Amino acid sequence: MVGLQSHVIRPSSDCLIHCSQSRIDDFDLPDWLPAGPGERVIDERTSLEDLNVMAGVLSTLDEDDAAKARIWIEEGMSPAERLSPLVFANVALQADDIPFYAYEAGTRFDPGVSSNEEAFALTVAENDPELAEALDGRFGPYLDLEAIGRDLAMDCTLHDDGYLDRSVDPGIDPELYSRDELVCLAGLDGGDDDACVMSGLDVPMDKAVVR
């Protein structure tokens, strides 16, 4: 689960942010939220209500889902007019469709792999018999794995723990679920049901447990 401590944030609490009345004046972003210029999901205009909805939704997901949503947004792949907690929650809910993949042959933190480019080249070799044969051959030790990986990753962004394939368009919709649906999923709708009916899904989704 995504670590937001208590996922309902009230003005009197001292957790993720410091609040004044019902607006956010100062805050520390967790590392799974985009923080670059033009990428902020949370700013001084963000309402506590929307922040609580996002936190509640994320409490139902794995932390990897939030991390993939951050990468997707930082790459500018989400066409939302303005980023917001509700947009981030929507993208995170579609994280399974985001084309971010772990390296198959180790990462740059493993012995013998000194860069993300090398890790990517070794990953490609897992499914490319010609490249695998070259690497295993007589002159394999002399090949520049980093240069090979850099050339092969022209349509990808390489990260320490995997790569984003920018050539794939999974059709992520930053407004797929309405605010009411997200409020339900966050467990903030006041209803007694344990699940929420979501757009386009045949099976209801379990809602968060408000603590």
Side-chain angles (χ1 to χ4, degrees), residues 105-183:
T107 71
R108 70 179 184 86
F109 300 109
D110 293 335
V113 180
S114 61
S115 69
N116 293 334
E117 288 77 12
E118 287 192 12
F120 186 74
L122 292 171
T123 295
V124 173
E126 291 286 318
N127 299 292
D128 186 330
E130 186 176 353
L131 178 57
E133 184 178 356
L135 295 179
D136 293 336
R138 177 181 175 186
F139 298 106
Y142 303 101
L143 296 177
D144 188 340
L145 272 179
E146 188 163 353
I148 292 172
R150 186 164 51 249
D151 288 345
L152 293 174
M154 294 295 290
D155 293 324
C156 299
T157 301
L158 307 184
H159 296 263
D160 290 345
D161 56 348
Y163 62 95
L164 178 70
D165 187 347
R166 300 191 309 274
S167 69
V168 176
D169 180 8
I172 301 297
D173 183 352
E175 298 178 344
L176 178 62
Y177 301 117
S178 68
R179 189 181 193 282
D180 287 344
E181 289 175 310
L182 296 176
V183 167

Side-chain angles (χ1 to χ4, degrees), residues 21-159:
Q21 298 178 356
S22 62
R23 308 300 292 184
I24 298 171
D25 294 329
D26 189 20
F27 45 85
D28 294 316
L29 293 179
D31 57 10
W32 43 262
L33 272 180
E39 298 166 352
R40 298 203 76 129
V41 171
I42 302 172
D43 59 25
E44 67 277 0
R45 294 176 292 172
T46 303
S47 71
L48 281 175
E49 290 81 5
D50 286 355
L51 186 58
N52 282 331
V53 172
M54 178 190 73
V57 170
L58 293 181
S59 74
T60 69
L61 304 175
D62 293 331
E63 192 160 348
D64 286 348
D65 294 331
K68 289 168 72 174
R70 171 183 59 79
I71 290 170
W72 187 252
I73 288 174
E74 287 179 344
E75 286 291 322
M77 305 296 283
S78 180
E81 192 169 305
R82 175 178 175 265
L83 291 179
S84 70
L86 302 185
V87 167
F88 190 83
N90 260 304
V91 174
L93 283 167
Q94 300 168 76
D96 286 346
D97 296 326
I98 293 175
F100 184 84
Y101 309 104
Y103 298 117
E104 295 183 18
T107 71
R108 70 179 184 86
F109 300 109
D110 293 335
V113 180
S114 61
S115 69
N116 293 334
E117 288 77 12
E118 287 192 12
F120 186 74
L122 292 171
T123 295
V124 173
E126 291 286 318
N127 299 292
D128 186 330
E130 186 176 353
L131 178 57
E133 184 178 356
L135 295 179
D136 293 336
R138 177 181 175 186
F139 298 106
Y142 303 101
L143 296 177
D144 188 340
L145 272 179
E146 188 163 353
I148 292 172
R150 186 164 51 249
D151 288 345
L152 293 174
M154 294 295 290
D155 293 324
C156 299
T157 301
L158 307 184
H159 296 263

